[in-house]
Amino acid sequence: CTEWLARVRVPLLIFSTSAGCLGSAAVHGMSRLEALARVLRSAPEDDKQRHFIQLQRTFLSVVLALQRMRRSDLVLGLQAWVRSRLHGAVDADTLGGPEPSVLPWLPPAVEASRGHVEAAVRGYGRLLSELVALAASDDGKGPGGDPAVLDYLVQQAEEGYIGLADWDGLTALERN
């Protein structure tokens, strides 16, 4: 029964988020994050990046659910959770650099969950600009090398511009 539930957590997370069952999405997402954190801590070095990408995608879904619930306190708690659970398991560059941000897209998500749409849009826009600049460079690494992170940033920036009725900003985002 436990193995079956572990296998269906990802579809439950996706369905719960899509259906607007945000509390359920947070519960299933946290269970998935706990399992992925255990795997990541014990994974061989050559598998850590793959497991971290899975963890980051799940983390994005949980943050999105909490953001829509306007629970900035829980989003900040997730940041502390990542620091404590992944300390030593993943290098600082993979986590988005040194303190204060464990994941570079998390501060704008906190602002969005607080209802500070302008600040969130500025943060998402800055990260998207960095991604565009990094994509043009040779190494192509940086915050959000995972396409799911890029999709999240674009989606959140679009929602922010629409919420602010900033059509010029939305048009500029779509051009880039």
Side-chain angles (χ1 to χ4, degrees):
C1 187
T2 304
E3 290 176 21
W4 173 81
L5 190 55
R7 285 194 310 269
V8 299
R9 288 253 186 237
V10 173
L12 284 171
L13 176 59
I14 293 167
F15 177 76
S16 298
T17 303
S18 299
C21 301
L22 303 175
S24 179
V27 167
H28 291 296
M30 282 307 299
S31 295
R32 176 82 173 138
L33 286 172
E34 276 291 339
L36 287 169
R38 279 192 303 273
V39 169
L40 188 61
R41 282 193 305 269
S42 62
E45 284 301 316
D46 53 339
D47 282 346
K48 284 192 178 198
Q49 185 63 30
R50 180 174 57 89
H51 292 298
F52 181 75
I53 288 172
Q54 291 176 11
L55 183 128
Q56 183 170 243
R57 288 178 180 183
T58 303
F59 195 78
L60 280 168
S61 296
V62 172
V63 167
L64 186 59
L66 296 175
Q67 196 175 321
R68 289 181 178 163
M69 291 169 39
R70 300 250 188 245
R71 294 301 308 262
S72 62
D73 55 334
L74 296 179
V75 176
L76 287 169
L78 274 177
Q79 184 175 16
W81 181 88
V82 167
R83 282 186 192 127
S84 69
R85 298 291 182 181
L86 300 182
H87 179 72
V90 180
D91 63 13
D93 289 337
T94 303
L95 291 174
E99 303 294 332
S101 177
V102 174
L103 295 164
W105 47 265
L106 196 53
V110 171
E111 292 300 328
S113 65
R114 289 180 175 156
H116 302 161
V117 180
E118 296 91 352
V121 167
R122 279 192 305 273
Y124 292 131
R126 180 185 48 78
L127 288 170
L128 286 167
S129 296
E130 289 175 14
L131 286 173
V132 168
L134 287 170
S137 72
D138 293 334
D139 63 4
K141 294 181 182 176
D146 179 12
V149 173
L150 179 61
D151 290 344
Y152 170 82
L153 293 173
V154 169
Q155 174 192 9
Q156 293 306 300
E158 285 175 346
E159 287 179 13
Y161 284 126
I162 290 169
L164 294 170
D166 182 354
W167 311 121
D168 294 333
L170 183 61
T171 303
L173 175 68
E174 290 178 354
R175 270 188 269 130
N176 293 329

